């Protein structure tokens, strides 16, 4: 059976790897010259930069609850990993370093908020423990969207029954748990920030399951965070190897313009230039809005277009990629978080900045004596400010400089003389995000609020068409999109092959 996957994001590559392992003939069509979608890396003047994700966890060991680790195990591929546990924070309360794990954050709370805040945090940890256990009771690798799930997910029924009374709470917003435990403003702001980084929404819109999964991963004994040696490209390359070794094909610079529908069934894709590729199943790893652009309007009910088209979306990004002279710079962390003002709200434009300096861990990302830096505002840059602008205009160039100032200011907290050290300076805008990632309006992803809407899963009303990626499964990060790809592949596979895979990776 032939399968075509539209897009080589982590969701699409995860799906491709598993389908190839299951014995399907897989072709991945990617518009860009580089695979990886939002997780791709690029090289410029001797520096290697990540375009998107910079925070990884649960990937350097097996078995792991991280769906992406499960995909890597299923396809028999891996990266070399560096580990760390500390990052820097520049928050309204003060500047400090913090670590994953349960205890160190209590020291921060004691310093800035006192004993009452420490007690609240410890109580939250106690309350979250059973939810964390419930969130990982059934691994994503066991899920499929058909009746075969009775056998695959049913293997874990005893564990699920044990946590039965907690599962219902996980489908609602995390705030329904948090608000009953936490009153300290700093802890509330901190948790809203973590929720925003997980889903693009604060605690009242982020599903409790996503946060519970984070607690299960970040607050276990001896936890470390991970970074792939070689950057995000190393992780993407591992996934590509996973399906190419089973005769899968990756077609770069192959932009899909239309899904071909015949007799009310998806039967292939038409590429820019007119070439047609045929398959038994088409899987779109494009966003929900971009997928709708590919489906002929008369092939599915108008209600489908209307409902999916109304999916709320997060805002876009500003990016700053820098190559700098690192002489005499000491004691740098790999990551920093900057928040200007909690009162504005964590989703406010120009309020939250993330700084990644991965060459602190992996010197191969920059020339000797240099550092590669990626600074970005995650999902809080309004696309409307940029819509319709000419990228070559003076107005656009001036706005780039002006909107990048918040990132420079945050970075000056870490390296005060950063502007004089720059050898490479690249500024990305929502238009950059839209152009290179084929993201509608440069969006960070869907903003479906927990408790008020459900992610649609991989199935569609058009026979032969399935979907994966951040538009189909809760959460925007790598674990969520890897889970989406894995679930789509499992749904296609026979139950026997699925169970065989499970026995090896879980």
């Amino acid at each position: 059976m032939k399968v075509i996957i539209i897009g080589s994001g982590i969701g699409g590559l995860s799906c491709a790897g598993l389908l190839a392992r299951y014995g399907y003939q897989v072709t991945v069509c990617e518009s860009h010259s580089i695979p990886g979608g939002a997780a791709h890396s690029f090289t410029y003047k001797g520096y290697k930069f990540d375009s998107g994700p910079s925070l990884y966890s649960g990937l350097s060991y097996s078995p792991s609850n991280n769906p992406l680790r499960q995909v890597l195990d299923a396809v028999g591929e891996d990266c070399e990993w560096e580990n760390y546990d500390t990052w820097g924070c520049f928050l309204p309360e003060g500047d400090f370093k913090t670590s994953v794990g349960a205890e160190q954050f209590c020291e921060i709370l004691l310093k800035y908020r006192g004993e009452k805040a420490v007690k609240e945090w410890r109580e939250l940890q106690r309350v979250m423990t059973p939810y964390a256990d419930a969130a990982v009771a059934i691994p994503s690798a066991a899920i499929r969207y058909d009746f075969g799930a009775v056998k695959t997910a049913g293997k874990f029924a005893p564990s699920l029954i044990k946590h039965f009374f907690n599962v219902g709470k996980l489908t609602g917003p995390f705030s329904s748990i948090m608000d009953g435990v936490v009153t300290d403003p700093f802890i509330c702001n901190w948790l809203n920030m973590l929720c925003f980084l997980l889903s693009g929404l604060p605690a009242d819109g982020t599903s409790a399951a996503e946060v519970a999964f984070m607690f299960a991963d970040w607050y276990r004994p001896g936890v470390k965070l991970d970074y792939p040696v070689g950057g995000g490209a190393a992780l993407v390359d591992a996934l590509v190897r996973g399906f190419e070794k089973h005769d899968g094909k990756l077609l770069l610079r192959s932009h899909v313009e239309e899904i071909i529908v015949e007799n009310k069934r998806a039967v292939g894709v038409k590429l820019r230039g007119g070439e047609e590729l045929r398959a038994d199943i088409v899987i779109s790893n494009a966003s929900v809005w971009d997928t709708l652009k590919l489906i002929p309007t008369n092939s599915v009910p108008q209600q489908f277009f209307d409902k999916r088209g109304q999916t709320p979306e997060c805002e876009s990004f500003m990016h700053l990629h820098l190559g700098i002279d690192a002489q005499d710079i000491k004691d740098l962390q790999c990551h920093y978080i900057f928040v200007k003002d909690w009162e504005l709200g964590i989703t406010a434009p120009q309020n939250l900045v993330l700084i990644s300096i991965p060459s602190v861990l992996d010197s191969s990302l920059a020339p000797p004596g240099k550092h590669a830096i990626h600074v970005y505002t995650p999902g809080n840059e309004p696309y409307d400010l940029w819509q319709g602008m000419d990228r070559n205009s003076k107005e656009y160039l001036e706005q780039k400089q002006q909107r990048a100032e918040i990132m420079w200011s945050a970075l000056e907290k870490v390296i005060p003389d950063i502007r004089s050290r720059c050898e490479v300076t690249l500024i990305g805008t929502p238009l950059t995000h839209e152009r290179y990632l084929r993201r509608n309006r440069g969006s960070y992803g869907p903003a479906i609020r927990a408790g008020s809407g459900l992610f649609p899963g991989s199935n569609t009303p058009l026979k032969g068409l399935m979907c994966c990626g951040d538009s189909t499964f809760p959460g925007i990060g790598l674990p969520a999109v890897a889970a989406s790809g894995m679930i789509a592949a499992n749904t296609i596979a026979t139950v026997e092959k699925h169970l065989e895979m499970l026995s090896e990776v879980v």
Side-chain angles (χ1 to χ4, degrees), residues 18-32:
L18 278 174
L19 285 174
R21 174 204 159 111
Y22 287 144
Y24 296 91
Q25 298 180 47
V26 181
T27 300
V28 178
C29 298
E30 169 57 47
S31 291
H32 203 349

Side-chain angles (χ1 to χ4, degrees), residues 197-219:
L197 296 177
L198 286 173
S199 72
L201 294 166
D204 62 1
T206 301
S207 79
E210 291 178 63
V211 183
F213 181 89
M214 180 196 70
F215 268 78
D217 190 29
W218 282 24
Y219 297 109

